[in-house]
Structure formats: C-alpha cells, structure tokens
Amino acid sequence: MPRADRQVTNREEILKIMDGCDALTLALMDGEYPYTIPMNFGWEDQSGQLVLYMHGAKEGKKLELIRQNPNAAFSMSRNHRCILGKVACASLFQYESVCGRGKIEILEDDERMHALTVLMRQYDRTQEHVFTQKHAAAVSVLKLTVEEFTGKRREQK
C-alpha cells in the first residue's frame, strides 16, 4: 500500500468499517476489461474466513461472467467528506475503505437462506429476518470467499 500512514491493519477495525458500508462495488473479469457493479451485501466471519454475500437478478451478465471466471474483487467505502483548503492543493477527502479479492460462486443450496439473513443483518440488526423458499428462489445469491483484503482511512488532521 503506497500510503502506509493511511493503512488500517487491525482486522476488527476493518470489519467495523464494513459494518458501516451500505454497498460494495463488485468487479468481475469480462475479457480484457473488468466489469463492475454496485451491490447490496452482508458479511460474516466463518472461523477466521471473511465471506461476503450478495443477491441480484436470476439471470444476466453478472452471472454469466461468474460462471466463466470465479475471480472477483470488491471495494466499499464510507464516511466521505470533502474538506476544502484555501487553495485546491490543500483540499482533502476524508474516507474509510475496504478492498479485497477472492473467489465468487452462485449458491444453489440451503446456504441461500443463511446468506440472505446475513445480508439483511447488514441493514437492520434490530430484528430477526425470516425468508421463505419463495423469497430465496426469486433471486440469485452470491458468495464471495475473500482471500485477501485491506483497509484504509484518511481523517482530517
């Protein structure tokens, strides 16, 4: 990471940043160029393994690309604030972000219900979320097993 002074190395701090994010950008390989798409998501730590869950349409380019190549990357950020300086070069942008990569798959089994529950917890931790098979069948559910991730933060000084 070029700016080590902005690196967040504590895993718990990185996970806290993720808790405050409401969307991630998923990057998939589309031949010569990456294909990116914003997604709702949820995450969980499975015995030290970070896993991200997303959902979307049951057909389309995203699913075609995943079937062709399971390599994926993601980014998410929060706490954006532009702090203008007296001159343009003295301005800065405050943020917290998490980026990573791993293998993505389309879930076809009972794990779908669990994944949707994890996803809903990202947006509402005050109640238990219940899904029926009909709900789960209406969407594709994706699981990204994260192989590597980093956190970054820039605060006003």
Side-chain angles (χ1 to χ4, degrees):
M1 179 175 290
R3 295 294 308 254
D5 61 319
R6 296 184 187 155
Q7 187 174 5
V8 178
T9 57
N10 180 286
R11 182 182 174 88
E12 294 306 312
E13 281 188 62
I14 293 171
L15 298 179
K16 186 175 178 181
I17 292 169
M18 291 174 57
D19 273 341
C21 294
D22 61 5
L24 66 75
T25 299
L26 178 65
L28 303 168
M29 291 307 299
D30 185 12
E32 193 175 338
Y33 295 97
Y35 173 80
T36 63
I37 184 167
M39 304 279 301
N40 296 88
F41 77 100
W43 70 269
E44 71 178 344
D45 186 327
Q46 294 180 348
S47 301
Q49 175 67 63
L50 179 61
V51 175
L52 305 176
Y53 296 107
M54 294 148 275
H55 72 89
K58 293 207 43 118
E59 57 185 51
K61 184 170 187 165
K62 172 178 65 242
L63 299 180
E64 292 170 22
L65 294 175
I66 291 168
R67 287 183 185 107
Q68 292 171 18
N69 185 339
N71 296 325
F74 68 92
S75 68
M76 61 184 81
S77 61
R78 70 176 192 167
N79 294 336
H80 305 119
R81 184 170 164 228
C82 182
I83 302 166
L84 298 174
K86 291 184 181 183
V87 294
C89 293
S91 297
L92 63 90
F93 197 75
Q94 182 176 301
Y95 64 91
E96 294 178 297
S97 64
V98 177
C99 298
R101 64 187 175 120
K103 301 288 186 198
I104 194 164
E105 62 186 293
I106 303 164
L107 296 180
E108 302 290 346
D109 56 17
D110 293 337
E111 197 174 2
R112 294 166 52 84
M113 300 288 258
H114 172 74
L116 291 170
T117 301
V118 171
L119 197 148
M120 285 305 299
R121 263 198 321 255
Q122 182 73 17
Y123 304 99
D124 180 7
R125 296 179 192 276
T126 64
Q127 61 181 323
E128 187 67 29
H129 300 282
V130 179
F131 295 92
T132 65
Q133 287 293 344
K134 181 179 177 182
H135 290 125
V139 296
S140 65
V141 181
L142 309 175
K143 176 182 179 180
L144 196 159
T145 303
V146 178
E147 297 171 346
E148 179 181 296
F149 63 102
T150 60
K152 196 172 175 183
R153 172 185 293 128
R154 181 172 188 175
E155 299 173 309
Q156 182 179 9
K157 293 183 179 184

